[in-house]
Amino acid sequence: MSPLFRRIGRRTSQSRLVTLIRKPGCHLCDDAQVVVEKVCADLGVPWEQKDITQDEELNREYWEQIPVVLIDGAQHTFWRVSEERLRKALT
């Protein structure tokens, strides 16, 4: 198959969304945010953050894993965020 046709099915960076699930006062969350901001800025990918203390469902699901990074709603990683791994997942 032609590389052109294979590329058509891939998502563009504009259609991706990275979500950082965090809580206030969490130093690992602060570290994760630095990585997410850098990678998303470099690649032009939008990102958002959600506070588990403000969302009961997120708190139940992720309270032992924060920070958690989701890509398009699917869990990518938790605790420590690797810049290289996040970048690779988004490209």
Side-chain angles (χ1 to χ4, degrees), residues 4-74:
L4 175 63
F5 291 112
R6 280 193 298 251
R7 247 192 323 239
I8 290 173
R10 290 186 180 173
R11 292 178 175 230
T12 66
S13 62
Q14 303 305 326
S15 67
R16 310 304 304 263
L17 177 64
V18 174
T19 304
L20 173 62
I21 301 171
R22 58 168 302 151
K23 74 175 187 176
C26 167
H27 70 87
L28 288 177
C29 299
D30 295 338
D31 294 346
Q33 183 170 334
V34 169
V35 174
V36 169
E37 284 178 340
K38 180 182 187 321
V39 171
C40 288
D42 288 351
L43 299 177
V45 175
W47 73 279
E48 64 182 1
Q49 59 181 326
K50 295 187 177 184
D51 181 347
I52 66 164
T53 66
Q54 303 298 312
D55 186 316
E56 190 174 317
E57 184 178 331
L58 290 177
N59 192 6
R60 273 195 310 274
E61 189 167 351
Y62 297 115
W63 74 273
E64 290 183 327
Q65 297 179 342
I66 62 158
V68 176
V69 175
L70 309 178
I71 298 176
D72 302 327

